[in-house]
Amino acid sequence: MRDNRWNDDDADRFAAAEGTSVADRALGHRVYSSRLIGSDPDLVMHGGGNTSVKVIRPTLQGEDKRVLHIKGSGWDLDTIEGPGLPGVWLDPLLALRPLDALSDEQMVDAQRAALLQSSSPNPSVETLLHAFLPHSFVDHTHATAFLALANLPHATDIVAELFGGRLAVVPYIMPGFALAKKAAEVFEADPEVEGLVLLNHGHFTFGDTAKQSYDRVIDHTNRVEQWLADRAGGRTFDTTVHTVRAPLDPGRASGVLPALRGVLGAIRSAHHDADMPMPVFDVRGGPAIERFLARGDLDSLSRRGVGSPDHVIRTKAFPLHLSRAQIDAGADAIRAAVDAWADAYKAYFASHNERVGGIKTMLEPIPGLAWIEGVGLVGIGKDSASAAAAADIGEQTVEVVTLGEAAGGFRPIGEADTFDMEYWSLEQAKLAKSTPKAFAGKIVLVTGGGGAIGLATAKAFAALGASVAVADLSTDALDKAGEALCGKALTVQADITAAGAGAAVIDAVCARFGGIDIVVSNAGAAMQGMLMDLDDETLRKSFELNFFSHLALAKAAAATMRAQGRGGQLLFNVSKQAVNPGTGFGAYGLPKAATFFLVRQLALELGGEGIRVNGVNADRIRSGLLTDDFIEKRAEARGVSAADYMAGNLLRAEVEATHVAEAFVALARADRTTAHVMTVDGGNIEAALR
């Protein structure tokens, strides 16, 4: 059930932040209640809702005119601010209503022409619907409960049973001018109603104040939730509590997901006639998902449709369903199932594209969502953010379908309407605006990710769009790394020298993102002592950490890359000690020299499979051994300042962790480079490789 979280003091603070005028304070209340709505994913999911307020503002000539502030494109309700609710002059929009028809492009032009500020984002595609309703505050949500209700076969009768005359019902029409006119007509036929149910779509409330409209959102939604719970054995839901970002069976997932990712990547590349990144996955498990995937009617449900028309942009028209028998049969069976899905999608596209005159261009024929028995629900996207959005919608859809089936049947819009929404030019324009970053779609693991070099490297790849995982022995270092990466990275605590640790880390990355593309094998430590005095145990420990752990990780990563069938990259932090030994550092230099050779050997063995292997030789970086105390002592022993000691190279400039990170990124970009070790030391001629 939804909690009503309205607080007058908080509302007043938001109002004061926008200004002192009546219009500004109303906008502040609009921002506040929008955030309350947006912070509950069971009310709105990934842009699936919008809010508005009508106020009076002066023109440049000082004449008071009506203004509609409405959610703008690119803003999310949970973080929205005043600029995210651009103002449009209301009267020009109302003047459109008598028209018999208005194309989407004409509607967008008219809305932009009415903007108070030309630099504002595009107003919502449902601006006219908000404009044609007379109320000061209007809220549109896609609450899970209302999606279940709105997709029932007898939804109109149930709305009457639940709400009497408090809500009116609007038949399904795609968003735009026609829907705005129809909704206004339905309201005007019964102007005492306090909200609208849009069949197969969502829920509107309105009021004289932000609080009144928000109160109605919560009250209406809770009434429907209770009605559904009574028919679903008391089933309640809260995706913020029940979401489990882990597969149901990690062992099964590590065998299935890389193979699936490779097949989907091949289809992407074939569709674009170019080498495209494989998609990124977001895997969800937990009791609710497990119960859903155990249903006996998944084949039928998987072809039924989407919970809300908006969802098709993220998830495609229908999910990929992989049964236990298919995944247990191995890679060939998975490939056959994906090919069958792609063929069905192509047929769906061809049929409906012919219906609309053959004017559309087919999107990638890969699913945005997969139901994998024994593994979980998998969001599929071009990067981790889009995969997570698809998975979130997938979780909501599980609730909508489950509750709908229990309450009379899940009956969403048909294929034709789904196609029209999926290929709606206004929605496609939203997706086209985003330009992918250089490493979008790439999954990167950095070991020793809590240290200076590891964290700098993880940040560098993340900034370029990669989905990043960091592994480290220290939980404290991992916590700091996770915070530094804004909570978006996977953190894996592991003793990389332990038996099976390399495979376990790779499996954890696959369970989170679906596979692996780039491994930065960076974990290490500089053990000191003269070899003649060093005990064998210390030397063996150094080899375990600085050589054997790298080899074990490389083996596990290469196995996953082979399963994907799309190549990959192994990058090693080697160290200048491999070629320029230092007194007292034999225990460190010997295994690093072996790792240096490992780069060349693995490049030789894996090159034919498209797996590139390179390394970085860095020197004198403030990390690990080179603490401030160590630097001061070394500098004092040489009779120089700490700054001069750190800049003791040909360039006379200190080398920082970010410079090493840039080298790893450069090697990752170098598509035709393998068996190469790049030196990053500011110029140490004794350590030059050639």
Side-chain angles (χ1 to χ4, degrees), residues 2-3 5 35-44 238 240:
R2 306 305 104 198
D3 292 329
R5 294 182 290 117
R35 287 192 175 198
L36 291 181
I37 293 169
S39 62
D40 185 344
D42 282 311
L43 291 178
V44 293
D238 185 342
T240 61

Side-chain angles (χ1 to χ4, degrees), residues 292 297-306 316-321 337-349 352 367 371 401 410-415 418:
F292 181 76
D297 56 354
L298 287 184
D299 277 337
S300 169
L301 292 177
S302 70
R303 303 298 301 185
R304 198 77 62 82
V306 291
K316 290 288 182 37
F318 40 91
L320 169 69
H321 172 216
V338 173
D339 287 343
W341 189 99
D343 289 343
Y345 184 84
K346 291 172 184 176
Y348 152 85
F349 173 81
H352 294 291
W371 297 348
V401 171
F410 173 62
R411 299 293 184 272
I413 58 173
E415 267 198 10
T418 301

Side-chain angles (χ1 to χ4, degrees), residues 26-66:
L27 178 60
H29 281 160
R30 176 72 288 174
V31 171
Y32 172 63
S33 63
S34 297
R35 287 192 175 198
L36 291 181
I37 293 169
S39 62
D40 185 344
D42 282 311
L43 291 178
V44 293
M45 186 73 75
H46 293 291
N50 40 68
T51 59
S52 69
V53 59
K54 299 178 183 74
V55 298
I56 301 294
R57 292 193 182 276
T59 66
L60 292 176
Q61 294 77 25
E63 183 181 0
D64 285 345
K65 292 282 189 180
R66 293 182 294 175

Side-chain angles (χ1 to χ4, degrees), residues 585-662:
F585 284 95
Y588 182 57
L590 283 170
K592 283 296 186 180
T595 302
F596 182 98
F597 186 84
L598 180 66
V599 170
R600 306 292 176 87
Q601 189 66 37
L602 291 180
L604 178 68
E605 295 184 11
L606 298 174
E609 298 173 75
I611 300 174
R612 299 190 291 109
V613 189
N614 295 294
V616 171
N617 272 359
D619 186 27
R620 212 170 286 187
I621 311 296
R622 291 181 188 267
S623 66
L625 174 69
L626 262 69
T627 63
D628 289 342
D629 287 344
F630 180 90
I631 292 168
E632 288 291 345
K633 290 177 182 178
R634 282 295 178 112
E636 184 179 347
R638 299 189 183 191
V640 299
S641 68
D644 286 342
Y645 171 74
M646 293 303 293
N649 52 52
L650 299 179
L651 297 179
R652 298 289 185 262
E654 180 177 346
V655 180
E656 299 175 356
T658 54
H659 300 124
V660 183
E662 289 168 1

Side-chain angles (χ1 to χ4, degrees), residues 538-563:
T538 299
L539 184 58
R540 290 179 187 279
K541 283 183 178 179
S542 184
F543 263 92
E544 288 294 338
L545 175 58
N546 294 306
F547 173 71
F548 284 111
S549 71
H550 294 270
L551 175 59
L553 184 68
K555 286 182 175 180
T560 296
M561 292 172 183
R562 284 168 167 162

Side-chain angles (χ1 to χ4, degrees), residues 235-236 242 248 286-298 398-399 402:
R235 183 187 182 96
T236 58
H242 297 307
L248 299 171
I289 300 298
E290 186 170 24
R291 287 193 297 271
F292 181 76
L293 293 178
R295 293 180 66 112
D297 56 354
L298 287 184
V398 165
E399 295 300 331
T402 302

Side-chain angles (χ1 to χ4, degrees), residues 226-403:
Q226 185 59 59
W227 184 87
L228 290 167
D230 291 343
R231 285 150 184 79
R235 183 187 182 96
T236 58
F237 54 91
D238 185 342
T239 55
T240 61
V241 172
H242 297 307
T243 290
V244 178
R245 246 191 178 114
L248 299 171
D249 182 342
R252 191 184 293 266
S254 64
V256 172
L257 299 180
L260 174 60
R261 186 169 180 251
V263 172
L264 295 176
I267 293 176
R268 282 198 78 197
S269 293
H271 176 75
H272 293 279
D273 195 23
D275 187 24
M276 297 292 291
M278 291 176 283
V280 177
F281 294 169
D282 193 297
V283 187
R284 306 291 172 89
I289 300 298
E290 186 170 24
R291 287 193 297 271
F292 181 76
L293 293 178
R295 293 180 66 112
D297 56 354
L298 287 184
D299 277 337
S300 169
L301 292 177
S302 70
R303 303 298 301 185
R304 198 77 62 82
V306 291
S308 171
D310 305 63
H311 291 174
V312 71
I313 307 301
R314 300 276 193 181
T315 66
K316 290 288 182 37
F318 40 91
L320 169 69
H321 172 216
L322 292 177
S323 68
R324 286 180 182 270
Q326 287 171 314
I327 61 178
D328 288 346
D332 289 343
I334 293 172
R335 184 177 297 105
V338 173
D339 287 343
W341 189 99
D343 289 343
Y345 184 84
K346 291 172 184 176
Y348 152 85
F349 173 81
S351 171
H352 294 291
N353 190 39
E354 182 179 1
R355 172 177 59 83
V356 299
I359 60 175
K360 303 294 184 180
T361 299
M362 188 175 70
L363 300 171
E364 295 174 348
I366 65 172
L369 194 65
W371 297 348
I372 307 179
E373 294 180 22
V375 172
L377 181 151
V378 180
I380 302 167
K382 66 181 186 302
D383 53 33
S384 54
S386 57
D392 288 343
I393 289 171
E395 284 200 81
Q396 186 185 39
T397 301
V398 165
E399 295 300 331
V400 170
V401 171
T402 302
L403 292 167

